[in-house]
């Protein structure tokens, strides 16, 4: 099931409001798959990731919008 960009934006705005965050920008890489492209390679998001001292948090509507899988460290 896909969530529309508008619904994702609303979800992010509500989350930021609940956490007391002020939204200062947006990265929207529509048509880019989290499965095939690292967050650091995405056209809009990568610019924000290169400037982490300009913000305190990044808010996604769902974790799968950030990454599709998280590697684990071997035990």
């Amino acid at each position: 099931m896909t969530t529309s960009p508008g619904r994702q934006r609303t979800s992010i705005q509500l989350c930021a409001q609940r956490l007391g965050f002020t939204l200062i920008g947006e990265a929207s890489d529509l048509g880019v798959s989290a499965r095939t492209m690292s967050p650091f390679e995405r056209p809009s998001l990568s610019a924000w990731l290169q400037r982490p001292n300009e913000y305190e948090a990044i808010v996604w509507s769902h974790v799968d919008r950030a990454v599709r899988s998280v590697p684990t460290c071997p035990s």
Side-chain angles (χ1 to χ4, degrees):
M1 183 171 156
T2 300
T3 305
S4 74
R7 282 185 162 201
Q8 291 178 51
R9 188 173 289 112
T10 299
S11 175
I12 290 166
Q13 291 168 342
L14 289 171
C15 178
Q17 182 180 15
R18 287 180 186 143
L19 293 171
F21 294 161
T22 299
L23 294 175
I24 61 168
E26 177 180 305
S28 180
D29 291 318
L30 299 176
V32 175
S33 171
R35 185 180 316 275
T36 60
M37 188 175 288
S38 157
F40 297 95
E41 298 171 324
R42 296 182 203 159
S44 183
L45 180 59
S46 65
W48 284 101
L49 295 177
Q50 292 172 25
R51 304 184 326 263
N53 53 342
E54 293 183 17
Y55 54 87
E56 294 182 6
I58 295 178
V59 180
W60 278 277
S61 60
H62 303 285
V63 73
D64 69 351
R65 299 298 176 212
V67 293
R68 289 293 183 167
S69 63
V70 178
T72 58
C73 296
S75 40

